[in-house]
């Protein structure tokens, strides 16, 4: 994910409308799970393996009316299934043989919502929950026509990260739990539904859409959007969904998506999700982008007209490996998603636009990191990579520490062992156990065994642990530089003395160069408004 502030700073074949085939019943063997302080689930006893979801979208009441059928794998002695919910209205719970006893437990933590406790027996294989969402469900953003580009039709989108999927689907809402899903979505006439799954490319005459995601994903990546949408391809595996009023501008802006996808595959292996499409949402989307599998959700504020902010696309595309293929097991391990993704993003942009462009992103990221550490305090535990978010909303850990300190740790390791060796390691990391979740400690063990022990003369596990478990910025953090920014700084000094930059020079500046220029102006300079106007 990129939040909107970070964005400003740093810048399938078409689905035919046929019912999705029933997914094969998952195996029943149990595996170990990492305890998650942000979930009521007890997956070591009962685990949801597959979700079959039926939804009716009601824009007038701003609710989803749903039936969630959960296929479960349970320990023979398990008596209870615990699910995460938030502000859901549970009408009934059934098994294949009739009603199941259930109760919504009291809310202990407002961020976590309420646990749904369901009685099961050893023969319970499916749990069927009939429910509806609340009009104020946190994951659901209901937009009036006036809030859209076309001004004629309402719009809906979801945002599940970090723990908001529980506000529109009752499930085990933890990043360490992966499920497959299929869905049937009924919409108002003329509106298209799309999800983080195999998607349609045209409006359904029956107003009914069928979806299938046959690769196991964490619940925060289940996503839905409904609106007046059209689709246009930009490459054999890539395309854009947007309102008709936005589609041409969007397809121009994202014309390099297929090239980015190929560049990413050349770096770290085959793309695992068949298609990579993007939907441009209305301006009220609260993030820069969200890496929902097969369908990145993106803000229209990156439609700059000059493709200068498309590193956001590279970032969300990179999440197809770091985050979606290999996922942080808990939100305390969030840096494993975002630090790797920032590193991968900058490698993609280097492959597309050259090292000078990637250097600018690194310098801006370093500035962001320094500012965040100064704001939080260099001894604040919140500046550690491994977090302790017990008793807190996990959103509190989603700042530049995970993104930029994580990036600079990986860049530091690359500098020590060499890019070729580090790329070999990363290829192995992404392919070692695809569609899995990992803790910081599991990563460090893998890193040590596969890389550090071979290069102990230049870097070792204890040095890396200081990055992970100690606050602040290590003294051995690489300090990036940019030749393009050197030229900007020279022009900035002249500007401060009264020499205006010639327009023929500045008209060629990228967004990143302008950002660096503007960051060089401080309140202490007391630059007159008339001069800034010029």
């Amino acid at each position: 994910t990129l939040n909107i502030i970070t964005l400003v700073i740093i810048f399938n074949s078409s689905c035919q409308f046929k019912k999705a085939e029933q997914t094969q019943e998952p195996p029943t063997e149990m595996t170990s799970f990492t305890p998650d302080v942000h979930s009521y689930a007890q997956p070591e006893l009962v685990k949801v393996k597959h979700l079959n979801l039926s939804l009716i979208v009601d824009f007038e009441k701003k609710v989803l009316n749903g039936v969630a059928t959960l296929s479960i794998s349970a320990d023979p002695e398990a008596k209870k299934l615990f699910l995460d919910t938030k502000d859901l209205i549970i009408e009934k719970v059934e098994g294949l043989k009739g009603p199941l006893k259930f109760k919504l437990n009291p809310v202990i933590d407002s961020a976590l919502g309420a646990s749904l406790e369901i009685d099961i027996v050893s023969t319970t294989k499916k749990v069927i929950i009939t429910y509806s969402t609340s009009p104020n469900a946190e994951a659901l953003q209901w937009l009036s026509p006036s809030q859209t580009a076309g001004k004629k039709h309402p719009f809906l989108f979801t945002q599940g990260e970090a723990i908001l999927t529980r506000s529109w689907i009752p499930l085990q809402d933890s990043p360490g739990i992966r499920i497959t899903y299929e869905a049937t979505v009924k919409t108002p006439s003329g509106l298209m539904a799309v999800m983080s799954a195999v998607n349609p490319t045209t409006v359904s005459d029956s107003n009914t859409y069928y979806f299938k995601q046959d690769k196991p994903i964490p619940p925060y990546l289940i996503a839905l959007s409904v609106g007046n949408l059209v689709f246009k391809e930009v490459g054999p595996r890539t395309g854009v969904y947007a309102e008709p009023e936005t589609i041409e501008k969007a397809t121009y802006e994202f014309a390099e998506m297929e090239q980015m996808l190929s560049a990413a595959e050349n770096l770290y292996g085959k793309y695992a999700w068949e298609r990579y499409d993007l939907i441009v949402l209305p301006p009220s989307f609260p993030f820069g982008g969200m890496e929902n599998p097969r369908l990145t959700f993106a803000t229209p504020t990156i439609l700059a007209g000059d493709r200068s902010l498309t590193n956001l696309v590279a970032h969300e595309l990179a999440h197809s490996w770091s985050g979606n293929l290999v996922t942080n097991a808990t939100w305390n391990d969030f840096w494993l998603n975002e630090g790797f993704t920032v590193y991968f993003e900058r490698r993609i942009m280097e492959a597309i636009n050259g090292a000078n462009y990637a250097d600018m992103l690194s310098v801006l990221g370093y500035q962001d990191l320094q500012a965040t550490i100064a704001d939080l305090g260099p001894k604040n535990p919140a500046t550690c990579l491994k977090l302790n978010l017990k008793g807190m909303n996990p959103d509190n850990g989603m700042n530049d520490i995970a993104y930029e300190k994580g990036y600079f740790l990986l860049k530091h390791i690359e500098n020590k062992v060499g890019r070729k060796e580090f790329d070999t390691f990363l290829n192995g990391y992404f392919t070692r156990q695809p569609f899995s979740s990992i803790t910081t400690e599991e990563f460090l063990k893998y890193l040590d065994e596969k890389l550090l022990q071979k290069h102990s003369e230049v870097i070792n596990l204890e040095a890396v642990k200081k990055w992970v478990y100690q606050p602040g910025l290590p003294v051995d953090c690489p300090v990036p530089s940019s030749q393009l920014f050197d030229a900007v700084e020279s022009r900035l000094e002249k500007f401060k003395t009264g020499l205006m930059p010639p327009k023929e020079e500045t008209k060629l500046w990228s967004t990143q160069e302008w950002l660096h220029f503007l960051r060089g102006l401080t309140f202490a300079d007391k630059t007159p408004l008339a001069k800034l106007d010029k």
Side-chain angles (χ1 to χ4, degrees):
T1 317
L2 280 184
N3 63 42
I4 199 69
I5 297 174
T6 301
L7 170 65
V8 173
I9 290 173
I10 68 169
F11 41 129
N12 153 21
S13 301
S14 64
C15 172
Q16 302 301 314
F17 297 109
K18 58 183 181 181
K19 187 168 184 177
E21 298 176 3
Q22 189 72 22
T23 299
Q24 184 176 353
E25 191 69 27
T28 57
E29 66 270 12
M30 302 301 293
T31 58
S32 61
F33 296 93
T34 303
D36 184 353
V37 298
H38 296 112
S39 172
Y40 295 112
Q42 298 179 7
E44 71 278 7
L45 298 177
V46 187
K47 182 183 182 300
V48 176
K49 305 285 283 187
H50 180 73
L51 164 68
N52 193 321
L53 186 65
S54 296
L55 294 173
I56 299 174
V57 181
D58 189 333
F59 276 99
E60 183 177 346
K61 294 182 179 179
K62 296 183 178 181
V63 299
L64 298 176
N65 297 299
V67 178
T69 302
L70 308 178
S71 300
I72 64 172
S73 175
D75 184 287
E77 302 300 317
K79 304 298 182 183
K80 304 279 188 180
L81 167 64
F82 289 93
L83 302 177
D84 296 303
T85 75
K86 192 168 189 181
D87 299 323
L88 294 181
I89 301 166
I90 308 299
E91 298 178 22
K92 60 181 177 178
V93 180
E94 303 168 285
L96 294 177
K97 296 181 180 180
L100 296 176
K101 185 178 179 180
F102 72 94
K103 66 176 179 178
L104 272 174
N105 290 311
V107 174
I108 300 173
D109 185 321
S110 59
L112 304 187
S115 68
L116 175 59
E117 181 180 333
I118 303 170
D119 290 355
I120 60 171
V121 296
S122 60
T123 57
T124 305
K125 300 299 180 184
K126 292 184 185 291
V127 175
I128 306 161
I129 305 167
T130 302
Y131 72 100
S132 59
T133 62
S134 164
N136 60 356
E138 287 185 80
L140 303 179
Q141 300 298 306
W142 300 91
L143 307 183
S144 65
S146 64
Q147 294 175 286
T148 68
K151 312 296 184 186
K152 296 178 181 178
H153 303 277
F155 204 101
L156 166 68
F157 62 83
T158 67
Q159 173 57 36
E161 192 180 42
I163 56 170
L164 298 182
T165 300
R166 65 190 68 185
S167 72
W168 70 288
I169 309 172
L171 38 58
Q172 296 174 317
D173 193 7
S174 169
I177 299 171
R178 307 180 76 96
I179 64 172
T180 53
Y181 80 87
E182 53 196 309
T184 303
V185 180
K186 182 78 172 180
T187 70
S189 178
L191 300 185
M192 186 190 297
V194 291
M195 296 190 74
S196 52
V198 179
N199 276 306
T201 56
T202 57
V203 174
S204 167
D205 292 336
S206 67
N207 307 315
T208 304
Y209 298 86
Y210 304 98
F211 302 93
K212 186 175 183 179
Q213 175 55 267
D214 61 1
K215 295 176 173 57
I217 63 173
Y220 74 89
L221 293 176
I222 302 173
L224 168 68
S225 186
V226 178
N228 181 28
L229 295 168
V230 292
F231 174 80
K232 190 171 182 179
E233 282 193 348
V234 297
R237 296 177 294 172
T238 54
V240 177
Y241 292 86
E243 294 181 73
E245 295 79 8
T246 308
I247 191 67
E248 294 302 326
K249 188 175 182 180
T251 51
Y252 171 81
E253 201 77 21
F254 305 132
E256 297 173 333
M257 283 171 59
E258 194 76 34
Q259 187 181 356
M260 287 183 180
L261 180 53
S262 296
E265 287 186 314
N266 289 336
L267 285 166
Y268 300 127
K270 185 174 175 58
Y271 180 71
W273 308 88
E274 288 89 36
R275 288 195 61 85
Y276 180 74
D277 297 319
L278 180 148
I279 178 172
V280 179
L281 296 174
S284 54
F285 181 56
F287 292 89
M290 181 63 209
E291 65 273 13
N292 302 310
R294 298 182 64 108
L295 187 65
T296 282
F297 283 23
T299 171
T301 61
I302 62 172
L303 301 180
D306 60 1
R307 300 174 182 164
S308 61
L309 295 175
T310 54
N311 57 294
L312 174 135
V313 180
H315 184 94
E316 307 308 336
L317 171 60
H319 267 304
S320 301
W321 285 261
S322 51
N324 298 4
L325 196 62
V326 181
T327 310
N328 49 227
T330 75
W331 297 113
N332 289 332
D333 308 295
F334 183 57
W335 79 275
L336 291 175
N337 273 22
E338 296 299 349
F340 276 83
T341 299
V342 172
Y343 178 86
F344 197 174
E345 165 209 334
R346 289 174 186 162
R347 291 293 302 277
I348 294 171
M349 296 312 299
E350 180 179 331
I352 300 296
N353 293 338
N356 283 337
Y357 185 94
D359 288 343
M360 291 192 297
L361 297 179
S362 295
V363 171
L364 291 172
Y366 185 74
Q367 294 169 357
D368 296 338
L369 178 57
Q370 288 182 309
T372 299
I373 291 175
D375 183 51
L376 295 172
K379 295 184 179 181
N380 191 325
T383 63
C384 297
L385 286 177
K386 174 74 175 192
L387 297 172
N388 181 7
L389 296 171
K390 185 176 182 179
M392 292 186 282
N393 191 313
D395 287 352
N396 292 348
M398 295 184 177
N399 56 39
D400 281 317
I401 300 301
Y403 291 77
E404 297 297 345
K405 186 177 178 181
Y407 162 78
F408 281 105
L409 168 56
L410 300 180
K411 186 65 178 176
H412 174 61
I413 297 173
E414 179 208 305
N415 290 346
K416 291 294 185 180
V417 305
R419 175 168 284 192
K420 183 177 180 181
E421 279 283 300
F422 194 55
D423 279 353
T424 299
F425 166 77
L426 287 180
N427 269 282
Y429 173 68
F430 290 133
T431 58
R432 57 177 271 282
Q433 194 176 344
F435 308 107
S436 66
S437 299
I438 188 170
T439 65
T440 296
E441 290 67 35
E442 289 168 336
F443 167 73
L444 291 176
K445 183 175 184 294
Y446 182 82
L447 175 70
D448 189 41
E449 292 175 351
K450 299 299 182 181
L451 187 66
L452 299 182
Q453 291 179 16
K454 295 189 294 184
H455 299 276
S456 58
E457 72 282 0
V458 293
I459 189 170
N460 58 44
L461 181 60
E462 292 308 310
V464 173
K465 283 183 175 180
K466 291 179 181 178
W467 276 81
V468 174
Y469 297 113
Q470 292 185 8
L473 192 59
V475 294
D476 56 358
C477 178
V479 180
S481 61
S482 164
Q483 292 181 354
L484 292 174
F485 281 177
D486 289 343
V488 172
E489 290 166 8
S490 174
R491 176 53 63 188
L492 177 62
E493 291 308 310
K494 293 178 181 178
F495 175 76
K496 288 181 177 180
T497 63
L499 296 175
M500 299 298 297
K503 286 185 178 180
E504 60 269 18
E505 177 184 333
T506 58
K507 73 179 181 181
L508 299 176
W509 281 5
S510 64
T511 298
Q512 288 73 26
E513 287 164 288
W514 273 114
L515 283 170
H516 192 63
F517 181 87
L518 292 171
R519 286 182 175 191
L521 298 174
T522 68
F523 285 110
D525 294 326
K526 298 183 178 179
T527 308
L529 182 59
K531 187 175 178 182
L532 290 176
D533 285 342
K534 290 184 181 181

